[in-house]
Amino acid sequence: MTIMHELYREHLLDHYRHPRNAAPLTHPDAVAEEHNPLCGDRVRAEAKFSHGRVVAVTLETRGCVIATAAGSLLSEWAIGKHPAEIAALDYAVMQKILGATVGAGRAKCLMLPLEALRHAVGNAKTKR
Amino acid sequence: MMDVLAIRKQFPLFARRAAPFAYLDSAATTQKPQCVLDALVDFYSRRNSNIHRGAYALAEAATALYESARARLARFVGAAGAHEIVFQKNTTEAINLVAFAWGREHIGRGDEIVASVAEHHSNFVPWLELCRRSGARLRVVPLQGERVDANAFLSALSRKTKLVAIHHVSNVLGRAAPLREITEAARSVGARVLVDAAQSAGHLPLDVQALQCDFLAFSGHKMYGPTGIGVLYGRAELLSEMPPFSFGGGMIREVGETAATYAEPPRRFEAGTPPIAEAVALAAAADFLDGLGREHIAAHERDLAAYALARLQESEGVCIYGGRDMAERAGLVSFNLRGFHGHDVATLLDERGIAVRAGFHCAQPLMRALGVAATCRASFGVYTLREDIDRLADGLRYAHSVLGSVSS
């Protein structure tokens, strides 16, 4: 069966079935959780820093294909980045990271992992 | 039996689509038949004028059309007369009118309002808010085995109960509530009953005398009429003791510089220029439904529900909410693909030309009671074919194959 929908191509389904960086970190520097009460999706973000950069990330997502794959791909993207680069991410860049166009109806699914990660990174900054 | 293919031809939206389209979201809004579109266009192209007090023939004709639409809707629900029909924007506004105008006079500290956990937010949040303002208590009746149970309701009623707010057909469970037992019990403790008929007005025979309710609210756009218009039925003696809630033109008797007096119901509750063309088109929708026969529509949709329950039960990994038997079943079924998110399922179905709704359906307390974050919902109308349900079953097989067997 051919899958027509770009949101459900094998690449994204692979990240959905086997999300990267989903296991809890030991002694994370920053932790945050976000959830979308509208659909029940939940993301837990953890991060470790070294010399002002992210060296380890966990994005543990319980949700739909878009949220889970976005969390997995974002976790890979975020390693080595400066908190300011994470803070600067937006909807357009998140679609690039996902490699697919996400309509307004599912925008929240795409953005939820980013909100959790930003929140975690922001918490860490206030701690320092 | 209804000739569904002939009925479908009356709906331009289906005629204009080249690819097959299984529209299974009639509970959110129905498609519109040509006769309703014609009524709107006819009003604006030949009869358009504001109503009341226009001393010219066109205004008088428009007023007569608006008031005859009111009389038509009174017959549609079996009201004692047109004076019991208040035009509102939709079900939500109609219920809010009762919460604000009737509630302010009749609900106070120590009183109780009783509602089922299965109410749509529009028949839940206005009562939460009224209770917060007045110091009354909202008693929420739990489900018994995924359905609204008359006995559970009865045990929540007492002399403190001033109002029972209950749906006719649940927009998630797809079943009619045991209204007769509930209204009887409510009357025995002296409570009023408001029925949310949003999911029944376009699907089942509706008779406020038989239901013995005090208020009944529904939306035009869920019964083949236009958006922007809904109906509040209220028993005449209750409407006449209700103060106005919204103030301005059209609802007054006399205005001085220091005080104003107000018109009799129903105009007392229709401040400002009402949705005139929409009222006329809603009357056309009532004609459309009665032309088909609401008993026939109900039988058609029950047949579809039985077929959908059977097809979904044989589909792999489908979990059905609201029970699998046909008692009091109406034309909608909620389900999930076990382990998968409703949004993913709905997006994959959409790719195959199948429109279902996924989410919490404006019923978060009910979602919690069912123990789910969201469900998918397939809902039917006069134009729904068994083939649409076959397409849904095929689509679910496709979604299952795409999403794989990993549970989230």
Side-chain angles (χ1 to χ4, degrees):
Chain A
M1 216 179 292
T2 35
I3 301 167
M4 305 297 293
H5 208 290
E6 69 165 344
L7 289 173
Y8 298 91
R9 282 183 320 222
E10 200 45 51
H11 172 59
L12 293 186
L13 288 172
D14 182 52
H15 278 271
Y16 169 65
R17 292 178 187 135
H18 312 288
R20 323 300 195 256
N21 304 312
L25 300 177
T26 44
H27 311 299
D29 297 319
V31 176
E33 247 187 71
E34 284 289 334
H35 97 284
N36 179 1
L38 303 190
C39 62
D41 284 3
R42 221 165 252 286
V43 183
R44 179 183 165 85
E46 299 179 352
K48 275 184 148 177
F49 302 93
S50 177
H51 303 292
R53 288 189 183 269
V54 173
V55 290
V57 174
T58 281
L59 283 170
E60 190 192 349
T61 308
R62 283 176 52 88
C64 66
V65 170
I66 297 173
T68 309
S72 175
L73 287 156
L74 175 64
S75 73
E76 291 184 324
W77 181 92
I79 292 168
K81 297 289 193 298
H82 190 270
E85 293 174 272
I86 292 167
L89 284 179
D90 61 11
Y91 184 41
V93 182
M94 277 305 294
Q95 292 187 86
K96 279 189 191 142
I97 291 172
L98 189 74
T101 309
V102 177
R106 306 288 301 273
K108 182 80 182 166
C109 314
L110 176 70
M111 298 302 279
L112 196 68
L114 174 61
E115 281 162 20
L117 182 60
R118 268 190 193 148
H119 206 150
V121 170
N123 287 350
K125 263 205 277 191
T126 50
K127 256 189 276 168
R128 274 176 294 183
Chain B
M1 285 292 279
M2 300 199 312
D3 184 352
V4 179
L5 287 173
I7 291 168
R8 268 174 99 87
K9 292 205 177 96
Q10 299 179 45
F11 287 79
L13 187 123
F14 295 118
R16 283 178 190 171
R17 292 182 74 103
F21 177 50
Y23 181 73
L24 297 173
D25 199 19
S26 291
T29 196
T30 54
Q31 298 301 338
K32 312 307 171 199
Q34 190 62 51
C35 59
V36 168
L37 305 178
D38 287 347
L40 278 173
V41 170
D42 182 70
F43 181 83
Y44 281 126
S45 31
R46 303 199 304 130
R47 323 253 184 193
N48 183 51
S49 159
N50 210 331
I51 54 169
H52 303 315
R53 291 171 311 280
Y56 51 94
L58 192 64
E60 278 170 16
T63 306
L65 273 175
Y66 180 71
E67 291 303 331
S68 77
R70 196 193 300 281
R72 180 67 187 89
L73 270 296
R75 286 203 307 283
F76 186 75
V77 298
H83 58 294
E84 295 188 321
I85 299 297
V86 183
F87 283 126
Q88 295 283 285
K89 191 169 69 185
N90 48 35
T91 309
T92 302
E93 194 181 59
I95 294 175
N96 272 281
L97 174 60
V98 177
F100 276 92
W102 182 85
R104 193 172 52 199
E105 300 291 308
H106 293 93
I107 302 288
R109 187 168 301 279
D111 292 340
E112 292 185 352
I113 297 172
V114 174
S116 89
V117 74
E119 298 315 305
H120 187 284
H121 291 166
S122 66
N123 197 26
F124 197 88
V125 185
W127 311 123
L128 269 184
E129 191 54 25
L130 174 58
C131 288
R132 190 188 63 76
R133 289 195 309 267
S134 64
R137 174 181 172 209
L138 180 63
R139 281 188 76 146
V140 181
V141 180
L143 298 179
Q144 299 289 319
E146 296 197 355
R147 72 188 61 199
V148 173
D149 175 68
N151 289 326
F153 236 93
L154 307 195
S155 61
L157 297 176
S158 73
R159 285 279 154 198
K160 290 183 192 167
T161 312
K162 293 291 178 287
L163 178 76
V164 172
I166 180 75
H167 59 269
H168 190 185
V169 171
S170 160
N171 72 317
V172 174
L173 302 173
R175 211 180 278 279
L179 278 190
R180 216 155 291 188
E181 289 104 308
I182 290 171
T183 47
E184 235 166 66
R187 297 183 92 77
S188 74
V189 298
R192 304 298 184 195
V193 178
L194 178 142
V195 173
D196 167 6
Q199 292 302 337
S200 58
H203 306 277
L204 303 178
L206 207 51
D207 181 347
V208 292
Q209 313 297 343
L211 291 178
Q212 296 262 300
C213 59
D214 298 290
F215 298 106
L216 180 128
F218 56 97
S219 295
H221 72 98
K222 291 189 202 293
M223 54 169 278
Y224 307 94
T227 54
I229 190 156
V231 168
L232 174 69
Y233 155 82
R235 272 202 301 117
E237 57 268 41
L238 296 178
L239 289 182
S240 66
E241 65 187 28
M242 265 163 61
F245 162 63
S246 187
F247 298 84
M251 51 74 69
I252 52 93
R253 186 196 304 278
E254 197 173 3
V255 179
E257 290 189 17
T258 54
T261 54
Y262 304 113
E264 291 299 309
R267 281 179 57 191
R268 186 189 295 168
F269 308 110
E270 296 178 358
T273 296
I276 306 163
E278 288 82 353
V280 173
L282 182 58
D287 289 343
F288 170 76
L289 285 165
D290 285 336
L292 295 175
R294 277 182 275 169
E295 298 81 8
H296 294 133
I297 295 170
H300 166 67
E301 293 179 5
R302 261 176 74 80
D303 173 67
L304 292 169
Y307 187 64
L309 286 170
R311 288 301 321 260
L312 292 179
Q313 280 180 67
E314 67 194 36
S315 304
E316 197 188 340
V318 172
C319 171
I320 292 166
Y321 302 98
R324 297 174 172 210
D325 64 280
M326 281 302 295
E328 301 298 325
R329 261 281 174 191
L332 73 92
V333 179
S334 286
F335 61 92
N336 271 325
L337 262 188
R338 216 171 272 116
F340 303 115
H341 203 289
H343 284 163
D344 289 325
V345 175
T347 302
L348 287 162
L349 291 174
D350 178 46
E351 188 194 304
R352 296 278 159 128
I354 304 152
V356 300
R357 191 151 288 256
F360 58 78
H361 311 296
C362 293
Q364 288 183 346
L366 176 57
M367 291 290 123
R368 270 191 287 278
L370 293 172
V372 294
T375 73
C376 297
R377 180 185 71 190
S379 55
F380 317 131
V382 295
Y383 35 62
T384 309
L385 296 159
R386 280 188 168 213
E387 285 84 334
D388 294 330
I389 292 161
D390 292 334
R391 292 171 64 77
L392 172 65
D394 291 347
L396 286 172
R397 197 163 35 239
Y398 166 69
H400 200 274
S401 74
V402 170
L403 297 171
S405 54
V406 181
S407 60
S408 59

